[in-house]
């Protein structure tokens, strides 16, 4: 039905930048929102950012506010996460998520496989 594939992860030095991409394919005609989450080893998965597809309104976790920017391309069914001023504590597997075909209640019903982001000090 719907597949999400993340890309753009890798190794970067502290203070550097990285841009993650999430490509959605399949039945994505009714996307409500897309977002990014991350999970470090031994830690719970945490919210990073999300964007509402129609309005473009965004939300960010306090830990990334001012450093990360989420965006989307409706025509490409893609979401992006521009990460600047990266810190070692940003190291995690980053997951793309989507709410597709839902109602007014935000529910992440699709997930990508994740992409590793490693920030060295």
């Amino acid at each position: 039905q719907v597949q999400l594939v993340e890309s753009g992860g890798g190794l970067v030095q502290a203070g550097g930048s990285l841009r993650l991409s999430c490509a959605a394919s399949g039945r994505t005609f009714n996307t409500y929102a897309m977002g990014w989450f991350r999970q470090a080893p031994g830690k719970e998965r945490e919210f990073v950012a999300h964007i509402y597809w129609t309005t473009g309104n965004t939300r960010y976790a306090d830990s990334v506010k001012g450093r990360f920017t989420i965006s989307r391309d409706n025509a490409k069914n893609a979401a992006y996460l521009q990460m600047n001023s990266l810190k070692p504590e940003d190291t995690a597997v980053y997951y793309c998520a989507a709410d597709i075909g839902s109602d007014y209640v935000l529910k992440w019903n699709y997930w990508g496989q994740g992409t590793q982001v490693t920030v060295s000090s």
Side-chain angles (χ1 to χ4, degrees):
Q1 299 185 42
V2 176
Q3 298 83 39
L4 304 180
V5 180
E6 303 97 331
S7 62
L11 176 64
V12 65
Q13 294 183 10
S17 298
L18 210 58
R19 185 171 185 259
L20 305 183
S21 299
C22 175
S25 61
R27 299 178 179 178
T28 61
F29 64 92
N30 193 25
T31 299
Y32 180 51
M34 293 185 70
W36 290 94
F37 295 75
R38 67 186 183 186
Q39 187 169 26
K43 306 293 184 181
E44 295 182 353
R45 184 172 297 186
E46 65 175 348
F47 164 78
V48 175
H50 73 250
I51 184 167
Y52 289 96
W53 219 244
T54 299
T55 66
N57 291 345
T58 59
R59 291 286 177 84
Y60 297 92
D62 290 342
S63 59
V64 306
K65 182 76 173 181
R67 299 188 298 120
F68 291 9
T69 302
I70 187 171
S71 60
R72 92 293 201 207
D73 187 330
N74 292 29
K76 294 182 178 180
N77 297 311
Y80 309 93
L81 186 68
Q82 179 66 47
M83 304 183 294
N84 299 325
S85 302
L86 283 163
K87 305 174 181 179
E89 48 263 47
D90 294 319
T91 295
V93 176
Y94 283 70
Y95 296 91
C96 178
D99 182 338
I100 299 175
S102 186
D103 51 16
Y104 293 105
V105 179
L106 183 61
K107 183 181 185 298
W108 305 110
N109 51 5
Y110 295 97
W111 293 85
Q113 81 287 354
T115 185
Q116 177 70 48
V117 172
T118 302
V119 184
S120 64
S121 59

